[in-house]
């Protein structure tokens, strides 16, 4: 089989509006074969609308969408969803209650003969460890099993691209990670490209090859999970992936003047700027600056601490074997692992 890096999906300058209200503006996105892309943003950021446009459930106001080298939508025309050949898994996507598990998975295989349709459906169910439930009914399955069947149904026609909108949000927290890991492993094994929409930062970072961070109908940043987490392009983008410390700094002849002293940090600038870094970068040090514990939030394997350094508030983390700090305690801290872990943003 010929291996190609040509994009499965290309979105260029996409815009969308409801009446006079702009929902999406100038969206660009590229997905290559076998890649899993997670679109992350808060409610109302436009991420699900973007997925619906790619699926063919909405028509763009501007820009274009190309799937497999064919333009499927622009401001003038839009190919119907059923002709785009995509696998779709949306929040409201439910199994057909009057069909067996096998018939649910075979539903999109009408172009195949009966025996081939059954064989394909069984093969796909077997990937998810559910071939022995083929003749069962949806209501007899657990929530996690139903989710796996829904993914199997989308995967059975062997589409080049699968779109998933909050696919694991209906599962309780005890099941969510396990089911997600199982499903993602199967999808990666098949080599299908996947675009998943989520508001869960941990889910996005742990599953995706590339992140697309969105807010207010715009893309804030794209990149690997590591790059987006450690080197955000803005405070808004950085905070989509978790707590972020933001401190004012000044440029100096030999480095950057920070509350922690003179440091060498990536990002040339003159005058004042903001330096951003994650809580785990703030670590205890006998030679560090003096701080005081303002509050402590226990969260199992991780404890979050808010520290005060004069008028500055910083967040840090304690882990399982670290000494427990108490409110009011004086500590000394510094920044560790600064290489590729702290970012200078544009001048103030």
């Amino acid at each position: 089989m010929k291996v190609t890096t040509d994009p499965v999906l290309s979105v260029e300058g996409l815009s969308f509006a409801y009446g006079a209200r702009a929902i999406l503006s100038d969206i660009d996105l590229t997905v290559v074969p076998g890649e899993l892309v997670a679109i992350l943003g808060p409610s109302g950021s436009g991420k699900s609308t973007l997925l619906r446009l790619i699926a063919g459930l909405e028509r763009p106001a501007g820009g274009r969408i190309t799937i497999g080298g064919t333009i499927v939508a622009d401001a003038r025309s839009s190919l119907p969803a059923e002709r785009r050949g995509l696998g779709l898994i949306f929040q409201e996507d439910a199994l057909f209650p009057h069909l067996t598990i096998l018939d649910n998975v075979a539903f999109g295989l009408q172009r195949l003969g009966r025996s081939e349709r059954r064989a394909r459906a069984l093969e796909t169910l077997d990937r998810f460890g559910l071939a022995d439930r083929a003749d069962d009914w949806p209501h007899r399955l657990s929530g996690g099993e139903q989710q796996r069947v829904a993914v199997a149904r989308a995967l059975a026609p062997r589409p080049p691209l699968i779109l998933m909108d909050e696919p694991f949000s209906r599962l309780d927290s005890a099941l969510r990670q396990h089911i997600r890991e199982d499903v993602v492993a199967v999808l990666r094994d098949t080599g299908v490209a996947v675009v998943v929409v989520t508001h869960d930062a941990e889910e996005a970072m742990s599953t995706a090859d590339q992140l697309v961070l969105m807010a207010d109908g715009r893309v804030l940043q794209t990149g690997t999970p590591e790059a987006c987490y450690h080197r955000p392009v803005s405070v808004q983008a950085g905070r989509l992936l978790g707590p972020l410390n933001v401190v004012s700094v000044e440029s100096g002849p030999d480095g950057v003047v920070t509350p922690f002293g003179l440091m060498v940090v990536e990002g040339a600038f003159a005058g004042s700027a903001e330096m951003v870094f994650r809580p785990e970068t703030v670590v205890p040090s006998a030679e560090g600056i003096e701080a005081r514990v303002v509050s402590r939030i226990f969260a199992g394997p991780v404890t979050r601490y808010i520290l005060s350094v004069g008028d500055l508030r910083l967040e840090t983390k304690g882990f399982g074997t670290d000494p427990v700090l108490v409110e009011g305690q004086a500590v000394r801290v510094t920044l560790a692992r600064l290489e590729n872990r702290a970012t200078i943003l544009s001048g103030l």
Side-chain angles (χ1 to χ4, degrees):
M1 183 176 66
K2 182 181 178 181
V3 177
T4 176
T5 55
D6 291 340
V8 173
L9 169 69
S10 179
V11 175
E12 302 169 86
L14 199 68
S15 62
F16 181 76
Y18 283 129
R21 184 166 67 97
I23 305 299
L24 295 176
S25 301
D26 199 26
I27 303 293
D28 293 323
L29 172 64
T30 300
V31 182
V32 299
E35 187 175 37
L36 196 157
V37 175
I39 303 174
L40 177 72
S43 297
S45 61
K47 57 188 187 297
S48 290
T49 299
L50 174 57
L51 209 69
R52 290 176 63 83
L53 284 161
I54 297 169
L57 303 176
E58 304 282 0
R59 177 178 293 185
R64 68 182 184 180
I65 301 170
T66 304
I67 296 174
T70 300
I71 297 174
V72 298
D74 56 24
R76 298 182 300 276
S77 63
S78 180
L79 196 68
E82 62 272 15
R83 294 179 56 193
R84 297 194 182 188
L86 306 180
L88 308 178
I89 305 170
F90 289 98
Q91 281 178 295
E92 65 274 12
D93 205 356
L95 302 180
F96 303 119
H98 61 291
L99 297 181
T100 65
I101 301 308
L102 181 70
D103 289 338
N104 264 277
V105 176
F107 185 80
L109 303 175
Q110 302 305 315
R111 61 184 175 81
L112 303 180
R114 183 175 179 180
S115 61
E116 189 178 356
R117 187 162 62 244
R118 177 180 174 83
R120 176 80 66 83
L122 282 172
E123 175 192 347
T124 309
L125 279 171
D126 190 52
R127 286 182 175 272
F128 293 91
L130 291 170
D132 61 336
R133 307 296 297 274
D135 296 323
D136 223 328
W137 300 94
H139 71 273
R140 295 174 62 106
L141 302 185
S142 68
E145 289 170 333
Q146 289 181 19
Q147 187 62 56
R148 286 196 288 254
V149 172
V151 178
R153 184 175 62 186
L155 189 61
R158 298 176 181 171
L161 175 66
I162 288 182
L163 307 179
M164 308 172 76
D165 189 0
E166 303 279 6
F168 310 108
S169 61
R170 291 175 294 178
L171 302 176
D172 62 65
S173 57
L175 271 179
R176 190 177 302 135
Q177 180 177 348
H178 174 67
I179 299 300
R180 181 177 70 225
E181 290 173 354
D182 283 353
V183 167
V184 169
V186 171
L187 293 174
R188 288 197 180 282
D189 186 56
T190 65
V192 67
V194 180
V195 176
V196 58
V197 158
T198 180
H199 66 275
D200 186 321
E202 180 183 352
E203 177 175 290
M205 288 189 288
S206 65
T207 59
D209 302 304
Q210 296 287 326
L211 297 184
V212 178
L213 305 182
M214 289 187 65
D216 303 318
R218 294 183 179 274
V219 172
L220 303 178
Q221 184 173 359
T222 61
T224 65
E226 292 86 354
C228 291
Y229 184 79
H230 291 299
R231 296 184 294 281
V233 297
S234 67
V235 172
Q236 186 179 23
R239 284 180 172 158
L240 288 178
L241 295 177
L244 193 69
N245 289 311
V246 183
V247 301
S248 296
V249 296
E250 300 283 338
S251 62
D254 299 313
V256 178
V257 181
T258 81
F260 300 90
L262 189 66
M263 295 186 170
V264 177
V265 182
E266 282 190 8
F269 71 101
S272 300
E274 290 179 323
M275 182 172 73
V276 298
F277 48 93
R278 298 292 175 183
E280 57 269 25
T281 306
V282 182
V283 296
S285 171
E287 291 77 35
I289 61 173
E290 185 171 313
R292 191 166 298 277
V293 179
V294 175
S295 64
R296 169 181 177 270
I297 304 168
F298 177 71
V302 175
T303 301
R304 295 172 55 202
Y305 296 100
I306 304 300
L307 308 179
S308 66
V309 180
D311 294 332
L312 181 64
R313 292 291 185 271
L314 297 174
E315 182 169 332
T316 186
K317 291 181 178 179
F319 300 91
T321 57
D322 293 340
V324 176
L325 307 179
V326 297
E327 291 184 13
Q329 181 177 344
V331 294
R332 287 189 173 275
V333 294
T334 190
L335 294 188
R337 299 167 59 218
L338 262 188
E339 184 180 358
N340 295 326
R341 295 296 189 271
T343 301
I344 299 294
L345 300 181
S346 58
L348 297 172

